[in-house]
PDB file of all heavy atoms in Angstrom:
ATOM      1  N   MET E   1     -10.501 -24.366  14.847  1.00  0.00           N
ATOM      2  CA  MET E   1     -10.385 -25.053  16.141  1.00  0.00           C
ATOM      3  C   MET E   1      -8.989 -25.631  16.340  1.00  0.00           C
ATOM      4  O   MET E   1      -8.440 -25.593  17.449  1.00  0.00           O
ATOM      5  CB  MET E   1     -11.447 -26.146  16.254  1.00  0.00           C
ATOM      6  CG  MET E   1     -12.855 -25.603  16.423  1.00  0.00           C
ATOM      7  SD  MET E   1     -14.034 -26.820  17.073  1.00  0.00           S
ATOM      8  CE  MET E   1     -14.098 -27.984  15.721  1.00  0.00           C
ATOM      9  N   LEU E   2      -8.385 -26.157  15.277  1.00  0.00           N
ATOM     10  CA  LEU E   2      -7.030 -26.691  15.388  1.00  0.00           C
ATOM     11  C   LEU E   2      -6.041 -25.590  15.758  1.00  0.00           C
ATOM     12  O   LEU E   2      -5.128 -25.794  16.574  1.00  0.00           O
ATOM     13  CB  LEU E   2      -6.601 -27.354  14.080  1.00  0.00           C
ATOM     14  CG  LEU E   2      -7.380 -28.589  13.631  1.00  0.00           C
ATOM     15  CD1 LEU E   2      -6.855 -29.072  12.282  1.00  0.00           C
ATOM     16  CD2 LEU E   2      -7.324 -29.708  14.652  1.00  0.00           C
ATOM     17  N   GLN E   3      -6.215 -24.425  15.157  1.00  0.00           N
ATOM     18  CA  GLN E   3      -5.341 -23.308  15.491  1.00  0.00           C
ATOM     19  C   GLN E   3      -5.555 -22.863  16.930  1.00  0.00           C
ATOM     20  O   GLN E   3      -4.601 -22.473  17.624  1.00  0.00           O
ATOM     21  CB  GLN E   3      -5.560 -22.157  14.512  1.00  0.00           C
ATOM     22  CG  GLN E   3      -5.069 -22.476  13.111  1.00  0.00           C
ATOM     23  CD  GLN E   3      -5.184 -21.326  12.120  1.00  0.00           C
ATOM     24  OE1 GLN E   3      -4.643 -21.381  11.029  1.00  0.00           O
ATOM     25  NE2 GLN E   3      -5.884 -20.271  12.490  1.00  0.00           N
ATOM     26  N   MET E   4      -6.791 -22.939  17.398  1.00  0.00           N
ATOM     27  CA  MET E   4      -7.050 -22.617  18.798  1.00  0.00           C
ATOM     28  C   MET E   4      -6.354 -23.615  19.723  1.00  0.00           C
ATOM     29  O   MET E   4      -5.798 -23.234  20.759  1.00  0.00           O
ATOM     30  CB  MET E   4      -8.553 -22.590  19.065  1.00  0.00           C
ATOM     31  CG  MET E   4      -9.284 -21.440  18.412  1.00  0.00           C
ATOM     32  SD  MET E   4     -11.048 -21.481  18.823  1.00  0.00           S
ATOM     33  CE  MET E   4     -11.691 -20.291  17.642  1.00  0.00           C
ATOM     34  N   VAL E   5      -6.392 -24.897  19.350  1.00  0.00           N
ATOM     35  CA  VAL E   5      -5.675 -25.912  20.125  1.00  0.00           C
ATOM     36  C   VAL E   5      -4.189 -25.582  20.165  1.00  0.00           C
ATOM     37  O   VAL E   5      -3.544 -25.633  21.222  1.00  0.00           O
ATOM     38  CB  VAL E   5      -5.907 -27.314  19.536  1.00  0.00           C
ATOM     39  CG1 VAL E   5      -4.931 -28.334  20.126  1.00  0.00           C
ATOM     40  CG2 VAL E   5      -7.341 -27.777  19.777  1.00  0.00           C
ATOM     41  N   ALA E   6      -3.634 -25.235  19.003  1.00  0.00           N
ATOM     42  CA  ALA E   6      -2.209 -24.905  18.938  1.00  0.00           C
ATOM     43  C   ALA E   6      -1.879 -23.709  19.822  1.00  0.00           C
ATOM     44  O   ALA E   6      -0.851 -23.700  20.520  1.00  0.00           O
ATOM     45  CB  ALA E   6      -1.801 -24.628  17.498  1.00  0.00           C
ATOM     46  N   GLU E   7      -2.740 -22.692  19.807  1.00  0.00           N
ATOM     47  CA  GLU E   7      -2.505 -21.520  20.650  1.00  0.00           C
ATOM     48  C   GLU E   7      -2.606 -21.890  22.126  1.00  0.00           C
ATOM     49  O   GLU E   7      -1.833 -21.399  22.950  1.00  0.00           O
ATOM     50  CB  GLU E   7      -3.510 -20.420  20.305  1.00  0.00           C
ATOM     51  CG  GLU E   7      -3.360 -19.842  18.910  1.00  0.00           C
ATOM     52  CD  GLU E   7      -2.106 -18.994  18.748  1.00  0.00           C
ATOM     53  OE1 GLU E   7      -1.549 -18.543  19.773  1.00  0.00           O
ATOM     54  OE2 GLU E   7      -1.669 -18.785  17.605  1.00  0.00           O
ATOM     55  N   PHE E   8      -3.560 -22.742  22.462  1.00  0.00           N
ATOM     56  CA  PHE E   8      -3.707 -23.178  23.847  1.00  0.00           C
ATOM     57  C   PHE E   8      -2.479 -23.936  24.333  1.00  0.00           C
ATOM     58  O   PHE E   8      -2.083 -23.826  25.498  1.00  0.00           O
ATOM     59  CB  PHE E   8      -4.949 -24.058  23.970  1.00  0.00           C
ATOM     60  CG  PHE E   8      -5.108 -24.703  25.323  1.00  0.00           C
ATOM     61  CD1 PHE E   8      -5.429 -23.944  26.439  1.00  0.00           C
ATOM     62  CD2 PHE E   8      -4.937 -26.069  25.482  1.00  0.00           C
ATOM     63  CE1 PHE E   8      -5.572 -24.536  27.688  1.00  0.00           C
ATOM     64  CE2 PHE E   8      -5.074 -26.666  26.724  1.00  0.00           C
ATOM     65  CZ  PHE E   8      -5.396 -25.897  27.833  1.00  0.00           C
ATOM     66  N   LEU E   9      -1.846 -24.674  23.427  1.00  0.00           N
ATOM     67  CA  LEU E   9      -0.691 -25.483  23.810  1.00  0.00           C
ATOM     68  C   LEU E   9       0.589 -24.661  23.961  1.00  0.00           C
ATOM     69  O   LEU E   9       1.576 -25.160  24.492  1.00  0.00           O
ATOM     70  CB  LEU E   9      -0.464 -26.589  22.776  1.00  0.00           C
ATOM     71  CG  LEU E   9      -1.533 -27.679  22.716  1.00  0.00           C
ATOM     72  CD1 LEU E   9      -1.220 -28.680  21.611  1.00  0.00           C
ATOM     73  CD2 LEU E   9      -1.676 -28.393  24.055  1.00  0.00           C
ATOM     74  N   LYS E  10       0.588 -23.431  23.475  1.00  0.00           N
ATOM     75  CA  LYS E  10       1.781 -22.586  23.634  1.00  0.00           C
ATOM     76  C   LYS E  10       2.020 -22.322  25.122  1.00  0.00           C
ATOM     77  O   LYS E  10       1.096 -21.921  25.835  1.00  0.00           O
ATOM     78  CB  LYS E  10       1.598 -21.257  22.900  1.00  0.00           C
ATOM     79  CG  LYS E  10       1.695 -21.335  21.401  1.00  0.00           C
ATOM     80  CD  LYS E  10       1.271 -20.041  20.738  1.00  0.00           C
ATOM     81  CE  LYS E  10       2.041 -18.834  21.254  1.00  0.00           C
ATOM     82  NZ  LYS E  10       1.660 -17.589  20.541  1.00  0.00           N
ATOM     83  N   PRO E  11       3.227 -22.536  25.599  1.00  0.00           N
ATOM     84  CA  PRO E  11       3.513 -22.250  27.018  1.00  0.00           C
ATOM     85  C   PRO E  11       3.218 -20.800  27.349  1.00  0.00           C
ATOM     86  O   PRO E  11       3.437 -19.894  26.545  1.00  0.00           O
ATOM     87  CB  PRO E  11       5.003 -22.566  27.146  1.00  0.00           C
ATOM     88  CG  PRO E  11       5.307 -23.511  26.015  1.00  0.00           C
ATOM     89  CD  PRO E  11       4.403 -23.086  24.902  1.00  0.00           C
ATOM     90  N   LEU E  12       2.701 -20.586  28.540  1.00  0.00           N
ATOM     91  CA  LEU E  12       2.369 -19.235  28.989  1.00  0.00           C
ATOM     92  C   LEU E  12       3.653 -18.451  29.250  1.00  0.00           C
ATOM     93  O   LEU E  12       4.551 -18.912  29.942  1.00  0.00           O
ATOM     94  CB  LEU E  12       1.529 -19.311  30.263  1.00  0.00           C
ATOM     95  CG  LEU E  12       0.866 -18.025  30.736  1.00  0.00           C
ATOM     96  CD1 LEU E  12      -0.128 -17.517  29.700  1.00  0.00           C
ATOM     97  CD2 LEU E  12       0.176 -18.259  32.074  1.00  0.00           C
ATOM     98  N   ASP E  13       3.747 -17.273  28.660  1.00  0.00           N
ATOM     99  CA  ASP E  13       4.915 -16.413  28.817  1.00  0.00           C
ATOM    100  C   ASP E  13       4.827 -15.697  30.169  1.00  0.00           C
ATOM    101  O   ASP E  13       3.898 -14.929  30.415  1.00  0.00           O
ATOM    102  CB  ASP E  13       4.947 -15.397  27.673  1.00  0.00           C
ATOM    103  CG  ASP E  13       6.160 -14.467  27.747  1.00  0.00           C
ATOM    104  OD1 ASP E  13       7.021 -14.670  28.629  1.00  0.00           O
ATOM    105  OD2 ASP E  13       6.238 -13.547  26.905  1.00  0.00           O
ATOM    106  N   VAL E  14       5.769 -15.975  31.037  1.00  0.00           N
ATOM    107  CA  VAL E  14       5.794 -15.292  32.343  1.00  0.00           C
ATOM    108  C   VAL E  14       7.113 -14.541  32.519  1.00  0.00           C
ATOM    109  O   VAL E  14       7.619 -14.399  33.631  1.00  0.00           O
ATOM    110  CB  VAL E  14       5.564 -16.290  33.504  1.00  0.00           C
ATOM    111  CG1 VAL E  14       4.148 -16.821  33.492  1.00  0.00           C
ATOM    112  CG2 VAL E  14       6.573 -17.435  33.458  1.00  0.00           C
ATOM    113  N   SER E  15       7.662 -14.081  31.400  1.00  0.00           N
ATOM    114  CA  SER E  15       8.870 -13.263  31.475  1.00  0.00           C
ATOM    115  C   SER E  15       8.552 -11.950  32.169  1.00  0.00           C
ATOM    116  O   SER E  15       7.383 -11.554  32.312  1.00  0.00           O
ATOM    117  CB  SER E  15       9.405 -12.980  30.076  1.00  0.00           C
ATOM    118  OG  SER E  15       8.472 -12.197  29.344  1.00  0.00           O
ATOM    119  N   GLY E  16       9.597 -11.264  32.580  1.00  0.00           N
ATOM    120  CA  GLY E  16       9.394  -9.985  33.240  1.00  0.00           C
ATOM    121  C   GLY E  16       8.601  -9.016  32.385  1.00  0.00           C
ATOM    122  O   GLY E  16       7.734  -8.278  32.881  1.00  0.00           O
ATOM    123  N   ASP E  17       8.873  -9.009  31.081  1.00  0.00           N
ATOM    124  CA  ASP E  17       8.159  -8.125  30.172  1.00  0.00           C
ATOM    125  C   ASP E  17       6.681  -8.493  30.118  1.00  0.00           C
ATOM    126  O   ASP E  17       5.806  -7.624  30.097  1.00  0.00           O
ATOM    127  CB  ASP E  17       8.793  -8.222  28.785  1.00  0.00           C
ATOM    128  CG  ASP E  17       8.449  -7.018  27.926  1.00  0.00           C
ATOM    129  OD1 ASP E  17       8.369  -5.903  28.473  1.00  0.00           O
ATOM    130  OD2 ASP E  17       8.262  -7.210  26.719  1.00  0.00           O
ATOM    131  N   ALA E  18       6.398  -9.826  30.079  1.00  0.00           N
ATOM    132  CA  ALA E  18       5.013 -10.275  29.985  1.00  0.00           C
ATOM    133  C   ALA E  18       4.238  -9.990  31.264  1.00  0.00           C
ATOM    134  O   ALA E  18       3.020  -9.763  31.218  1.00  0.00           O
ATOM    135  CB  ALA E  18       4.982 -11.767  29.667  1.00  0.00           C
ATOM    136  N   LEU E  19       4.899 -10.006  32.390  1.00  0.00           N
ATOM    137  CA  LEU E  19       4.203  -9.733  33.649  1.00  0.00           C
ATOM    138  C   LEU E  19       3.674  -8.307  33.718  1.00  0.00           C
ATOM    139  O   LEU E  19       2.724  -8.036  34.463  1.00  0.00           O
ATOM    140  CB  LEU E  19       5.136 -10.007  34.835  1.00  0.00           C
ATOM    141  CG  LEU E  19       5.514 -11.479  35.038  1.00  0.00           C
ATOM    142  CD1 LEU E  19       6.524 -11.609  36.163  1.00  0.00           C
ATOM    143  CD2 LEU E  19       4.292 -12.322  35.316  1.00  0.00           C
ATOM    144  N   GLY E  20       4.258  -7.400  32.969  1.00  0.00           N
ATOM    145  CA  GLY E  20       3.679  -6.074  32.767  1.00  0.00           C
ATOM    146  C   GLY E  20       3.640  -5.158  33.970  1.00  0.00           C
ATOM    147  O   GLY E  20       2.744  -4.304  34.074  1.00  0.00           O
ATOM    148  N   LEU E  21       4.585  -5.269  34.877  1.00  0.00           N
ATOM    149  CA  LEU E  21       4.550  -4.423  36.069  1.00  0.00           C
ATOM    150  C   LEU E  21       4.665  -2.938  35.737  1.00  0.00           C
ATOM    151  O   LEU E  21       4.021  -2.084  36.370  1.00  0.00           O
ATOM    152  CB  LEU E  21       5.657  -4.840  37.040  1.00  0.00           C
ATOM    153  CG  LEU E  21       5.418  -6.155  37.793  1.00  0.00           C
ATOM    154  CD1 LEU E  21       6.633  -6.485  38.658  1.00  0.00           C
ATOM    155  CD2 LEU E  21       4.155  -6.069  38.639  1.00  0.00           C
ATOM    156  N   ASP E  22       5.477  -2.606  34.733  1.00  0.00           N
ATOM    157  CA  ASP E  22       5.606  -1.188  34.362  1.00  0.00           C
ATOM    158  C   ASP E  22       4.270  -0.630  33.873  1.00  0.00           C
ATOM    159  O   ASP E  22       3.925   0.527  34.171  1.00  0.00           O
ATOM    160  CB  ASP E  22       6.671  -1.014  33.279  1.00  0.00           C
ATOM    161  CG  ASP E  22       8.079  -1.205  33.821  1.00  0.00           C
ATOM    162  OD1 ASP E  22       8.251  -1.127  35.062  1.00  0.00           O
ATOM    163  OD2 ASP E  22       9.002  -1.445  33.008  1.00  0.00           O
ATOM    164  N   ALA E  23       3.530  -1.452  33.108  1.00  0.00           N
ATOM    165  CA  ALA E  23       2.222  -1.002  32.631  1.00  0.00           C
ATOM    166  C   ALA E  23       1.270  -0.795  33.794  1.00  0.00           C
ATOM    167  O   ALA E  23       0.487   0.167  33.820  1.00  0.00           O
ATOM    168  CB  ALA E  23       1.649  -2.016  31.636  1.00  0.00           C
ATOM    169  N   VAL E  24       1.311  -1.693  34.774  1.00  0.00           N
ATOM    170  CA  VAL E  24       0.440  -1.548  35.943  1.00  0.00           C
ATOM    171  C   VAL E  24       0.796  -0.275  36.704  1.00  0.00           C
ATOM    172  O   VAL E  24      -0.083   0.473  37.162  1.00  0.00           O
ATOM    173  CB  VAL E  24       0.553  -2.784  36.857  1.00  0.00           C
ATOM    174  CG1 VAL E  24      -0.297  -2.592  38.118  1.00  0.00           C
ATOM    175  CG2 VAL E  24       0.116  -4.047  36.114  1.00  0.00           C
ATOM    176  N   ARG E  25       2.094   0.011  36.806  1.00  0.00           N
ATOM    177  CA  ARG E  25       2.515   1.249  37.479  1.00  0.00           C
ATOM    178  C   ARG E  25       2.018   2.484  36.722  1.00  0.00           C
ATOM    179  O   ARG E  25       1.570   3.471  37.318  1.00  0.00           O
ATOM    180  CB  ARG E  25       4.035   1.284  37.595  1.00  0.00           C
ATOM    181  CG  ARG E  25       4.612   0.262  38.570  1.00  0.00           C
ATOM    182  CD  ARG E  25       6.116   0.485  38.769  1.00  0.00           C
ATOM    183  NE  ARG E  25       6.691  -0.527  39.651  1.00  0.00           N
ATOM    184  CZ  ARG E  25       7.369  -1.588  39.232  1.00  0.00           C
ATOM    185  NH1 ARG E  25       7.563  -1.755  37.922  1.00  0.00           N
ATOM    186  NH2 ARG E  25       7.853  -2.460  40.083  1.00  0.00           N
ATOM    187  N   ASP E  26       2.104   2.422  35.396  1.00  0.00           N
ATOM    188  CA  ASP E  26       1.681   3.574  34.588  1.00  0.00           C
ATOM    189  C   ASP E  26       0.186   3.839  34.721  1.00  0.00           C
ATOM    190  O   ASP E  26      -0.242   4.992  34.801  1.00  0.00           O
ATOM    191  CB  ASP E  26       2.027   3.347  33.118  1.00  0.00           C
ATOM    192  CG  ASP E  26       3.530   3.400  32.850  1.00  0.00           C
ATOM    193  OD1 ASP E  26       4.265   3.918  33.713  1.00  0.00           O
ATOM    194  OD2 ASP E  26       3.956   2.909  31.780  1.00  0.00           O
ATOM    195  N   VAL E  27      -0.621   2.784  34.706  1.00  0.00           N
ATOM    196  CA  VAL E  27      -2.081   2.953  34.714  1.00  0.00           C
ATOM    197  C   VAL E  27      -2.594   3.233  36.115  1.00  0.00           C
ATOM    198  O   VAL E  27      -3.424   4.133  36.327  1.00  0.00           O
ATOM    199  CB  VAL E  27      -2.764   1.695  34.125  1.00  0.00           C
ATOM    200  CG1 VAL E  27      -4.280   1.770  34.309  1.00  0.00           C
ATOM    201  CG2 VAL E  27      -2.418   1.554  32.647  1.00  0.00           C
ATOM    202  N   GLY E  28      -2.095   2.467  37.080  1.00  0.00           N
ATOM    203  CA  GLY E  28      -2.546   2.665  38.452  1.00  0.00           C
ATOM    204  C   GLY E  28      -3.996   2.267  38.641  1.00  0.00           C
ATOM    205  O   GLY E  28      -4.661   1.765  37.726  1.00  0.00           O
ATOM    206  N   PRO E  29      -4.549   2.526  39.817  1.00  0.00           N
ATOM    207  CA  PRO E  29      -5.940   2.165  40.092  1.00  0.00           C
ATOM    208  C   PRO E  29      -6.924   2.957  39.237  1.00  0.00           C
ATOM    209  O   PRO E  29      -6.743   4.151  39.007  1.00  0.00           O
ATOM    210  CB  PRO E  29      -6.103   2.493  41.579  1.00  0.00           C
ATOM    211  CG  PRO E  29      -4.707   2.506  42.137  1.00  0.00           C
ATOM    212  CD  PRO E  29      -3.846   3.023  41.024  1.00  0.00           C
ATOM    213  N   GLY E  30      -7.938   2.268  38.728  1.00  0.00           N
ATOM    214  CA  GLY E  30      -9.060   2.934  38.073  1.00  0.00           C
ATOM    215  C   GLY E  30      -8.877   3.306  36.624  1.00  0.00           C
ATOM    216  O   GLY E  30      -9.789   3.853  36.010  1.00  0.00           O
ATOM    217  N   GLY E  31      -7.723   3.054  36.034  1.00  0.00           N
ATOM    218  CA  GLY E  31      -7.505   3.424  34.635  1.00  0.00           C
ATOM    219  C   GLY E  31      -7.830   2.284  33.683  1.00  0.00           C
ATOM    220  O   GLY E  31      -8.549   1.346  34.018  1.00  0.00           O
ATOM    221  N   HIS E  32      -7.316   2.377  32.443  1.00  0.00           N
ATOM    222  CA  HIS E  32      -7.447   1.271  31.490  1.00  0.00           C
ATOM    223  C   HIS E  32      -6.160   1.177  30.676  1.00  0.00           C
ATOM    224  O   HIS E  32      -5.343   2.101  30.646  1.00  0.00           O
ATOM    225  CB  HIS E  32      -8.669   1.424  30.589  1.00  0.00           C
ATOM    226  CG  HIS E  32      -8.592   2.579  29.643  1.00  0.00           C
ATOM    227  ND1 HIS E  32      -7.804   2.589  28.533  1.00  0.00           N
ATOM    228  CD2 HIS E  32      -9.232   3.785  29.660  1.00  0.00           C
ATOM    229  CE1 HIS E  32      -7.931   3.720  27.892  1.00  0.00           C
ATOM    230  NE2 HIS E  32      -8.793   4.478  28.557  1.00  0.00           N
ATOM    231  N   TYR E  33      -6.015   0.058  29.991  1.00  0.00           N
ATOM    232  CA  TYR E  33      -4.748  -0.276  29.332  1.00  0.00           C
ATOM    233  C   TYR E  33      -4.787  -0.125  27.812  1.00  0.00           C
ATOM    234  O   TYR E  33      -3.814  -0.449  27.142  1.00  0.00           O
ATOM    235  CB  TYR E  33      -4.343  -1.713  29.693  1.00  0.00           C
ATOM    236  CG  TYR E  33      -3.966  -1.874  31.148  1.00  0.00           C
ATOM    237  CD1 TYR E  33      -4.940  -2.054  32.118  1.00  0.00           C
ATOM    238  CD2 TYR E  33      -2.634  -1.818  31.549  1.00  0.00           C
ATOM    239  CE1 TYR E  33      -4.610  -2.181  33.457  1.00  0.00           C
ATOM    240  CE2 TYR E  33      -2.291  -1.952  32.893  1.00  0.00           C
ATOM    241  CZ  TYR E  33      -3.276  -2.137  33.837  1.00  0.00           C
ATOM    242  OH  TYR E  33      -2.936  -2.270  35.158  1.00  0.00           O
ATOM    243  N   PHE E  34      -5.904   0.370  27.261  1.00  0.00           N
ATOM    244  CA  PHE E  34      -6.012   0.434  25.810  1.00  0.00           C
ATOM    245  C   PHE E  34      -4.897   1.259  25.166  1.00  0.00           C
ATOM    246  O   PHE E  34      -4.378   0.901  24.121  1.00  0.00           O
ATOM    247  CB  PHE E  34      -7.376   1.016  25.405  1.00  0.00           C
ATOM    248  CG  PHE E  34      -8.498   0.038  25.496  1.00  0.00           C
ATOM    249  CD1 PHE E  34      -9.570   0.266  26.347  1.00  0.00           C
ATOM    250  CD2 PHE E  34      -8.496  -1.115  24.729  1.00  0.00           C
ATOM    251  CE1 PHE E  34     -10.625  -0.626  26.425  1.00  0.00           C
ATOM    252  CE2 PHE E  34      -9.542  -2.016  24.801  1.00  0.00           C
ATOM    253  CZ  PHE E  34     -10.609  -1.774  25.652  1.00  0.00           C
ATOM    254  N   GLY E  35      -4.543   2.361  25.763  1.00  0.00           N
ATOM    255  CA  GLY E  35      -3.593   3.269  25.122  1.00  0.00           C
ATOM    256  C   GLY E  35      -2.179   3.195  25.642  1.00  0.00           C
ATOM    257  O   GLY E  35      -1.338   4.009  25.235  1.00  0.00           O
ATOM    258  N   THR E  36      -1.885   2.243  26.515  1.00  0.00           N
ATOM    259  CA  THR E  36      -0.535   2.175  27.067  1.00  0.00           C
ATOM    260  C   THR E  36       0.453   1.661  26.026  1.00  0.00           C
ATOM    261  O   THR E  36       0.099   0.925  25.097  1.00  0.00           O
ATOM    262  CB  THR E  36      -0.484   1.240  28.286  1.00  0.00           C
ATOM    263  OG1 THR E  36      -0.742  -0.102  27.854  1.00  0.00           O
ATOM    264  CG2 THR E  36      -1.496   1.656  29.346  1.00  0.00           C
ATOM    265  N   LEU E  37       1.713   2.053  26.190  1.00  0.00           N
ATOM    266  CA  LEU E  37       2.756   1.579  25.281  1.00  0.00           C
ATOM    267  C   LEU E  37       2.847   0.063  25.302  1.00  0.00           C
ATOM    268  O   LEU E  37       3.021  -0.570  24.252  1.00  0.00           O
ATOM    269  CB  LEU E  37       4.105   2.194  25.692  1.00  0.00           C
ATOM    270  CG  LEU E  37       5.313   1.790  24.828  1.00  0.00           C
ATOM    271  CD1 LEU E  37       5.117   2.263  23.384  1.00  0.00           C
ATOM    272  CD2 LEU E  37       6.600   2.385  25.417  1.00  0.00           C
ATOM    273  N   HIS E  38       2.692  -0.532  26.477  1.00  0.00           N
ATOM    274  CA  HIS E  38       2.744  -1.993  26.621  1.00  0.00           C
ATOM    275  C   HIS E  38       1.700  -2.661  25.733  1.00  0.00           C
ATOM    276  O   HIS E  38       1.970  -3.669  25.065  1.00  0.00           O
ATOM    277  CB  HIS E  38       2.521  -2.356  28.097  1.00  0.00           C
ATOM    278  CG  HIS E  38       2.767  -3.792  28.425  1.00  0.00           C
ATOM    279  ND1 HIS E  38       1.761  -4.728  28.465  1.00  0.00           N
ATOM    280  CD2 HIS E  38       3.914  -4.461  28.725  1.00  0.00           C
ATOM    281  CE1 HIS E  38       2.261  -5.909  28.801  1.00  0.00           C
ATOM    282  NE2 HIS E  38       3.571  -5.771  28.953  1.00  0.00           N
ATOM    283  N   THR E  39       0.493  -2.093  25.681  1.00  0.00           N
ATOM    284  CA  THR E  39      -0.579  -2.641  24.844  1.00  0.00           C
ATOM    285  C   THR E  39      -0.322  -2.358  23.368  1.00  0.00           C
ATOM    286  O   THR E  39      -0.456  -3.249  22.513  1.00  0.00           O
ATOM    287  CB  THR E  39      -1.931  -2.045  25.261  1.00  0.00           C
ATOM    288  OG1 THR E  39      -2.201  -2.404  26.615  1.00  0.00           O
ATOM    289  CG2 THR E  39      -3.056  -2.566  24.371  1.00  0.00           C
ATOM    290  N   LEU E  40       0.043  -1.122  23.044  1.00  0.00           N
ATOM    291  CA  LEU E  40       0.210  -0.740  21.645  1.00  0.00           C
ATOM    292  C   LEU E  40       1.330  -1.521  20.960  1.00  0.00           C
ATOM    293  O   LEU E  40       1.287  -1.761  19.755  1.00  0.00           O
ATOM    294  CB  LEU E  40       0.489   0.761  21.547  1.00  0.00           C
ATOM    295  CG  LEU E  40      -0.680   1.668  21.965  1.00  0.00           C
ATOM    296  CD1 LEU E  40      -0.244   3.126  21.986  1.00  0.00           C
ATOM    297  CD2 LEU E  40      -1.866   1.467  21.019  1.00  0.00           C
TER     298      LEU E  40
END
């Protein structure tokens, strides 16, 4: 639980890389993200 608290306290990453627009473009409507480079 303490580690969960620590993870919760980490600031949310909203960098361009974290926003994942390239991954969204790659997958498009109706797909999934399991095998994308962004996920892997």
